[in-house]
Amino acid sequence: MAHDNATKTKVRANYVRGMPLTSAAAACSISHSTARNWRRDDAASGDDWDTARNAQRMTKSGVEAMANEVLGELADQFLVTIDAVKKDKAMPAQQRAQILVQLMDGYNKAIAAASRAMPNANRLATAMDVSKFLTVFIAQHAPKMREPFIALLEQAGPEFVREFGNHA
């Protein structure tokens, strides 16, 4: 069964926003295999849905969420390590301090590594942040234009990936 481009655009938008591909497909009443084929075909033509999805995660709100998740994981590790250090009455103070410094160093390196690992996603994330800003600005200053602007942005999604996601 042939599907219109609007359906494909909706599946892509749902996936990029964070839905699993199976859920994005089901939300638009198409099969998972059709969605998987669209994602594969688009990637071959330069519109990598996964790059767009990663960039979405790295937008201002996405980076904050990721940083909070990393911070939460590291906080858990801090607590487990601090508990272990407290229980080891024979551990010298210098060794205790060194452990805490190493945990903080690990956190800083994790954040830096995420930025270096996906430079294209960082560039695309910036473009997406600008798009979000414009969406809010238009909603406040020209509310009648908001819906057409959002529809146009969804159609431009593949072009955003080609333009901002594939350059170093």
Side-chain angles (χ1 to χ4, degrees):
M1 175 180 184
H3 298 282
D4 62 8
N5 200 45
T7 302
K8 179 179 170 184
T9 299
K10 287 178 186 174
V11 172
R12 183 190 183 284
N14 287 340
Y15 179 75
V16 168
R17 287 186 196 118
M19 268 190 186
L21 191 59
T22 52
S23 300
C28 296
S29 302
I30 65 156
S31 70
H32 176 258
S33 62
T34 297
R36 190 177 55 233
N37 290 340
W38 285 344
R39 184 179 65 177
R40 183 196 61 229
D41 294 345
D42 281 358
S45 67
D47 174 22
D48 189 333
W49 295 13
D50 292 315
T51 298
R53 184 180 174 113
N54 289 335
Q56 177 69 29
R57 290 177 181 154
M58 292 184 70
T59 61
K60 185 177 180 183
S61 58
V63 168
E64 289 171 4
M66 181 176 64
N68 285 334
E69 187 174 329
V70 169
L71 183 59
E73 283 294 319
L74 289 175
D76 289 345
Q77 292 302 316
F78 271 115
L79 294 175
V80 168
T81 303
I82 288 170
D83 189 47
V85 168
K86 283 180 182 177
K87 289 179 182 177
D88 187 352
K89 303 295 182 193
M91 185 182 294
Q94 183 177 1
Q95 186 178 2
R96 292 170 194 255
Q98 182 179 9
I99 289 170
L100 293 176
V101 166
Q102 287 173 334
L103 287 172
M104 286 301 295
D105 185 52
Y107 171 79
N108 290 331
K109 286 179 178 175
I111 296 299
S115 292
R116 285 191 309 271
M118 296 189 286
N120 292 338
N122 277 337
R123 188 169 180 263
L124 183 55
T126 300
M128 293 171 100
D129 277 338
V130 170
S131 297
K132 286 179 182 180
F133 169 81
L134 288 173
T135 302
V136 171
F137 185 86
I138 288 170
Q140 291 172 348
H141 298 283
K144 291 180 181 178
M145 295 177 65
R146 182 179 178 272
E147 290 302 319
F149 181 73
I150 290 172
L152 189 61
L153 274 179
E154 286 183 352
Q155 290 176 359
E159 295 303 318
F160 264 77
V161 174
R162 283 184 196 86
E163 181 63 30
F164 300 106
N166 295 326
H167 304 315

